[in-house]
Amino acid sequence: MAEGNLAAASQMAWQSADEVAEQRTLFEKVSGRPTDESDWRNKVTWAAAVLLALSIEQSLKTLAILTSTDAGCLKEHDLHLLWLDIPEECREGVRCELVAFRRRIAGTRLEQAVLSDPDETVFEHRHTFERSRYYNETGGKRSDDLGHNVDLWQLALAVNAFVQRVVPV
């Protein structure tokens, strides 16, 4: 499931300018509502971020299930708390995957991370999923400030790679 959310986010965000324009035009035609480019980009960026945060959440919960006898974290969405709930050796494994991933993406637009450590990224994005998922329940109070997107991408890919490596198939 986590890998599917990661793939869907990738499909949304890694499109060329022509593909984005084509998708926006199709959306306008089907929905009957015009959407300006900045509004479209904001919606797609948020949708991708939500899928990335959900992918991280699912991956961290998988690690917690495999390594913990306490199922309390399974009702949690806070990425920071989920991160702290997995053993240090798992966090270190994710850090190693992140270093390896950053080597592979050198020279691409995905290399422009600001946060150096997964601890910072999970803290920064600890409520990204909830802010969008529970948007209506909170009275429409989702901040449009969504920072450190590249860091979120990198962490989602690294934690998913780590889970793929350690989870028995």
Side-chain angles (χ1 to χ4, degrees):
M1 192 70 170
E3 191 172 31
N5 287 322
L6 186 55
S10 299
Q11 187 174 5
M12 283 192 297
W14 295 349
Q15 297 176 336
S16 69
D18 290 341
E19 290 169 320
V20 170
E22 183 180 321
Q23 293 297 317
R24 193 175 112 224
T25 300
L26 179 60
F27 176 81
E28 289 174 341
K29 181 179 180 178
V30 171
S31 70
R33 293 188 312 261
T35 305
D36 72 25
E37 187 174 346
S38 64
D39 188 41
W40 178 258
R41 275 282 177 200
N42 185 47
K43 288 175 182 173
V44 170
T45 298
W46 261 102
V50 168
L51 289 174
L52 292 170
L54 181 57
S55 176
I56 293 168
E57 177 182 328
Q58 291 167 328
S59 294
L60 293 176
K61 286 181 178 181
T62 298
L63 291 171
I65 289 167
L66 292 173
T67 61
S68 176
T69 57
D70 174 21
C73 71
L74 299 181
K75 296 179 182 174
E76 186 61 60
H77 294 299
D78 185 320
L79 295 182
H80 185 248
L81 295 178
L82 290 168
W83 177 252
L84 296 175
D85 195 50
I86 63 173
E88 178 56 36
E89 57 266 18
C90 289
R91 291 193 298 268
E92 189 55 38
V94 170
R95 287 183 189 101
C96 289
E97 288 290 342
L98 185 58
V99 168
F101 179 73
R102 286 179 173 166
R103 279 191 213 113
R104 288 194 307 272
I105 60 171
T108 72
R109 63 183 172 166
L110 273 181
E111 81 172 333
Q112 301 164 358
V114 175
L115 306 174
S116 61
D117 190 81
D119 297 272
E120 295 174 285
T121 305
V122 294
F123 188 78
E124 173 73 23
H125 285 282
R126 68 188 305 169
H127 299 297
T128 297
F129 173 75
E130 293 168 285
R131 287 190 311 181
S132 184
R133 163 60 182 88
Y134 300 109
Y135 177 74
N136 289 327
E137 290 91 329
T138 60
K141 295 184 179 169
R142 179 188 75 196
S143 167
D144 282 333
D145 181 28
L146 186 60
H148 307 293
N149 282 343
V150 172
D151 302 275
L152 188 62
W153 274 104
Q154 289 183 1
L155 182 60
L157 290 161
V159 73
N160 185 264
F162 180 73
V163 168
Q164 296 293 325
R165 191 165 48 85
V166 301
V167 171
V169 181

